[in-house]
Amino acid sequence: MKHIRNLGIVLSASWLAGCAHVDPNPAFVDVARTVHLRTGKRVQWNRGSAEDAQAQAAVASLLSRPLTANSAVQVALLNNRNLQATYEDLGIAQADLVEAGLLKNPVFLFERRLPGQAMEIDMLQQFLDIVLLPLRKRIATAQFEAAKLQVGHDILNLAGDVRAAFYQHQGDQQLVEMRQTVAQATERSAETALKMRDAGNLRDLDLASEHATHAQAKIEVAKAQRSAVESREKLSKLMGVFGAQTNWTVASRLPQLPGNEISTSRIESRAIQQRLDLAAARQQFIAQSRARGIAPIEAVLQQAEIGTHFEHEVEGGIHSVGPSISVPVPIFNQGQPASARANASTRKAAQRYLALAADVRSDVRAARDRMLLARREVEYFKSTALPARTRVTEESQLQYNAMQITPFQLLQAKQEEVKAGADSIEALRD
């Protein structure tokens, strides 16, 4: 009877653990807090709550006004369906964590020998499942933390992509305007050339050259319009808008260059400390390291069972109760393959982590250098290139007023000034 009581305790613990509640909301709250600290933005997991309606109302309000980079990011974080699908990874990871803390269901065996000679009953529970339960839960805990960190990384990645796409589209819009200005100038030049040719003051070759320049300017307008359409659709896709929501607008011009960029001192170290995907990879390595310790034991003793055996003999009315144990004999498989597999997986996780850390350092250096070079280019346009082109146009205007140059030369100077302005817009956008 003592064995039956012991088994009853195990089964009671299993039943109580089976009552565990799977609630991923606390994990999402942790992720949302991290995102808010990093971006100042709100995220919402749409699961049919009253907050979902509030989030959609906020999206509608933001889209009703000209978007800024910040408001576009907020729309995406509330409205992007792929992001909503990513949140379900928290539910899956939470379920895995709860399941790791549960004992497997016991096995009930009943045997009756006919015609009514004997009856046997076995209640079995996997022995290894009881012993390794705390270790399995530690593994699942590390995997759960990795899932939370990865979801946070995906959110921050989306925010960065939206911000980049916003400035890309805003710059493309401004370039369309500039290209159209160039096309208008070349059109006037071509019209002037036609009149001068008709008056006998211009060669056909010069007229053809002016028309070719105007045709090329119109091609550049078409290319700019195509880029603006594509960048608009990219931003719409990232924000998750459809239907009437796609009628959003943005300011037609890029903002001025920020007075100061973020500090680039110790930027690699900060990236290593703060990148959530790197932290997730570290948690995966921890989980794999913990799993390595139990892999050979599981391989050898996976089918080990303990339980209680009850037997009733009809003839003589004899009853017997006693413990039951079933242990595999490790003759053919002594756990070496499982151990080798676990060791290889652990080394793989370690190398993946180290590789990602190196990539993070490289990416942040490249991003820093691109930013500084782009800033230098914008400042050069502002301080030197654009003023020089403006001076050429002003001098050309004076020369034209003095009848020292042709109208084509004046128009050419203005075209070059506008082209320099378009190049400066591209640099500012970048």
Side-chain angles (χ1 to χ4, degrees):
M1 295 303 291
K2 179 180 180 182
H3 297 293
I4 295 179
R5 286 197 302 271
N6 291 340
L7 183 60
I9 293 173
V10 171
L11 294 178
S12 298
S14 178
W15 180 81
L16 290 173
C19 297
H21 181 53
V22 181
D23 181 14
N25 191 62
F28 180 75
V29 171
D30 289 344
V31 172
R33 185 182 302 112
T34 299
V35 171
H36 187 266
L37 288 173
R38 299 285 184 96
T39 68
K41 299 293 181 291
R42 169 193 172 193
V43 292
Q44 175 65 31
W45 189 355
N46 297 332
R47 289 179 291 173
S49 65
E51 288 79 6
D52 297 347
Q54 296 173 3
Q56 288 306 305
V59 168
S61 177
L62 292 170
L63 292 173
S64 68
R65 303 186 296 271
L67 289 173
T68 64
N70 285 331
S71 62
V73 169
Q74 184 61 86
V75 169
L77 295 188
L78 294 176
N79 204 52
N80 185 286
R81 270 61 175 184
N82 284 323
L83 197 57
Q84 292 297 319
T86 300
Y87 295 155
E88 299 301 332
D89 290 341
L90 294 175
I92 295 170
Q94 179 70 50
D96 290 342
L97 176 60
V98 172
E99 188 174 49
L102 301 177
L103 293 172
K104 294 180 181 178
N105 293 327
V107 178
F108 178 79
L109 299 178
F110 175 82
E111 182 180 332
R112 178 72 184 223
R113 298 174 189 165
L114 298 175
Q117 294 300 312
M119 177 178 67
E120 294 184 18
I121 299 174
D122 287 278
M123 182 70 75
L124 302 174
Q125 178 74 39
Q126 286 193 2
F127 171 75
L128 196 64
D129 196 39
I130 301 172
V131 174
L132 297 182
L133 184 66
L135 296 176
R136 285 175 174 165
K137 192 166 184 179
R138 291 184 66 213
I139 295 169
T141 298
Q143 292 171 333
F144 179 55
E145 291 302 318
K148 288 167 56 178
L149 291 164
Q150 187 60 51
V151 169
H153 175 71
D154 292 343
I155 296 171
L156 296 179
N157 256 3
L158 177 64
D161 290 344
V162 170
R163 190 174 295 276
F166 176 86
Y167 288 124
Q168 176 74 42
H169 177 63
Q170 199 172 39
D172 288 347
Q173 277 194 152
Q174 193 169 346
L175 280 172
V176 169
E177 181 182 333
M178 296 293 286
R179 299 298 184 194
Q180 287 174 337
T181 301
V182 173
Q184 291 167 2
T186 58
E187 183 178 20
R188 289 194 299 270
S189 182
E191 291 172 350
T192 301
L194 179 61
K195 292 177 181 178
M196 292 181 67
R197 198 285 308 268
D198 291 343
N201 297 325
L202 193 69
R203 297 178 303 171
D204 287 344
L205 176 60
D206 295 329
L207 175 63
S209 178
E210 292 298 326
H211 277 279
T213 301
H214 177 52
Q216 183 61 40
K218 292 181 68 175
I219 291 173
E220 295 299 326
V221 170
K223 289 181 178 179
Q225 289 173 333
R226 182 185 65 192
S227 295
V229 168
E230 290 175 352
S231 60
R232 180 183 179 87
E233 194 56 41
K234 180 180 180 180
L235 183 54
S236 287
K237 182 177 180 180
L238 289 171
M239 292 192 298
V241 298
F242 63 94
Q245 291 180 325
T246 59
N247 296 324
W248 50 267
T249 60
V250 300
S252 60
R253 292 182 176 274
L254 288 164
Q256 292 300 311
L257 192 67
N260 294 298
E261 298 291 358
I262 62 171
S263 171
T264 58
S265 64
R266 299 184 62 254
I267 194 167
E268 291 181 47
S269 299
R270 284 190 287 157
I272 294 298
Q273 293 168 3
Q274 298 184 90
R275 278 280 290 260
L276 298 185
D277 57 339
L278 191 61
R282 183 174 183 275
Q283 288 296 327
Q284 288 290 2
F285 169 71
I286 292 173
Q288 191 59 53
S289 298
R290 291 172 178 173
R292 178 179 61 177
I294 67 174
I297 302 174
E298 285 187 311
V300 173
L301 300 177
Q302 184 63 51
Q303 304 303 319
E305 296 176 325
I306 60 172
T308 297
H309 177 79
F310 170 80
E311 185 173 345
H312 171 68
E313 293 286 347
V314 174
E315 187 175 327
I318 300 173
H319 300 274
S320 62
V321 178
S324 172
I325 183 169
S326 171
V327 180
V329 180
I331 296 177
F332 305 110
N333 184 353
Q334 298 175 359
Q336 293 93 334
S339 180
R341 186 183 304 110
N343 288 332
S345 296
T346 302
R347 292 192 299 269
K348 178 180 177 181
Q351 293 300 327
R352 292 291 190 196
Y353 173 78
L354 294 174
L356 180 57
D359 289 347
V360 166
R361 290 180 178 275
S362 176
D363 290 345
V364 78
R365 288 195 305 269
R368 175 199 60 198
D369 293 343
R370 286 197 306 271
M371 179 190 72
L372 295 177
L373 289 171
R375 183 180 185 88
R376 195 174 304 163
E377 185 178 0
V378 172
E379 290 172 343
Y380 182 77
F381 268 110
K382 184 177 180 180
S383 65
T384 305
L386 289 177
R389 279 296 171 190
T390 301
R391 180 68 182 275
V392 170
T393 302
E394 292 171 349
E395 291 296 327
S396 297
Q397 183 68 58
L398 293 174
Q399 292 290 317
Y400 175 73
N401 292 342
M403 302 182 68
Q404 298 298 311
I405 62 172
T406 67
F408 303 116
Q409 291 172 298
L410 175 59
L411 289 171
Q412 180 65 31
K414 290 184 177 179
Q415 291 172 29
E416 293 300 327
E417 182 184 6
V418 174
K419 287 180 181 178
D423 292 339
S424 71
I425 291 171
E426 290 182 336
L428 179 59
R429 175 197 64 192
D430 295 342

